[in-house]
Amino acid sequence: MELVDGFYVDSNNNKWNAGRFSEEQAKSESSFLVNCHHCIYCSECKGCDGCRDCHHCIDCSECKGCTGCVGCTGCRYCVDCVDCKECTDCVFCKKCVKCSQCNDCKDCSGCYYCTQCEQCKKCDICVFCKGCEHCTRCVKCQKCEDLEFERYC
């Protein structure tokens, strides 16, 4: 851990403000990060920007390849996102908003171009939805309600 320009910086270039964190606190927080690089103000990956391959991100933005994200924005290639916004190419999203090109979403709303959504609302152009409501232009859906423009079902 080094002190650089008022920040404690670990070996992966994650940073903690020296005015808010002691060196011991920064070391402790650094020990909770798994494969994080260039994150700022991380505390078990809370409020980070540009996380990569992290675990249990919370309220981060632009995460990629993370697992167990909660409340993040702009996730890509993540697994088990919950309550995130604008996820892309994720797997097993739950309760997310405006997912795109995800697989196995559940209880999401506003998804589009997803595959195998389950119990989602207001999906658009998804494939193999199951038990969704108020979807449009979905293909090969099962047990969905209030569909508009359903094709090939």
Side-chain angles (χ1 to χ4, degrees):
M1 190 73 60
E2 294 181 61
L3 184 60
V4 178
D5 295 328
F7 288 88
Y8 290 111
V9 181
D10 68 10
S11 61
N12 288 326
N13 206 27
N14 298 306
K15 299 176 184 180
W16 293 268
N17 186 323
R20 294 176 50 196
F21 293 87
S22 68
E23 184 174 4
E24 286 301 314
Q25 288 172 318
K27 284 180 183 178
S28 176
E29 296 299 338
S30 178
S31 71
F32 288 109
L33 303 180
V34 179
N35 295 323
C36 291
H37 301 280
H38 306 288
C39 294
I40 299 174
Y41 302 128
C42 292
S43 177
E44 294 184 31
C45 298
K46 292 180 184 174
C48 301
D49 184 29
C51 299
R52 302 289 185 271
D53 302 316
C54 299
H55 294 277
H56 307 293
C57 301
I58 298 172
D59 296 329
C60 299
S61 61
E62 305 300 323
C63 302
K64 289 186 182 175
C66 299
T67 302
C69 299
V70 177
C72 298
T73 303
C75 301
R76 294 183 58 99
Y77 311 112
C78 296
V79 178
D80 286 327
C81 299
V82 178
D83 292 327
C84 295
K85 296 177 188 131
E86 301 172 6
C87 303
T88 304
D89 295 312
C90 297
V91 180
F92 304 119
C93 298
K94 294 173 198 81
K95 298 181 182 178
C96 295
V97 178
K98 297 183 181 177
C99 301
S100 171
Q101 302 170 8
C102 297
N103 291 311
D104 295 307
C105 299
K106 188 170 183 176
D107 294 325
C108 298
S109 65
C111 304
Y112 53 99
Y113 299 116
C114 295
T115 303
Q116 298 179 339
C117 298
E118 190 173 325
Q119 300 173 338
C120 295
K121 293 180 175 93
K122 299 181 182 177
C123 297
D124 189 28
I125 315 174
C126 294
V127 181
F128 301 115
C129 298
K130 185 175 180 182
C132 298
E133 297 177 6
H134 308 292
C135 301
T136 58
R137 301 181 288 177
C138 293
V139 179
K140 298 185 180 180
C141 302
Q142 295 178 5
K143 300 179 183 177
C144 297
E145 297 179 18
D146 301 322
L147 295 175
E148 296 179 28
F149 311 115
E150 183 178 29
R151 301 181 297 181
Y152 311 108
C153 295

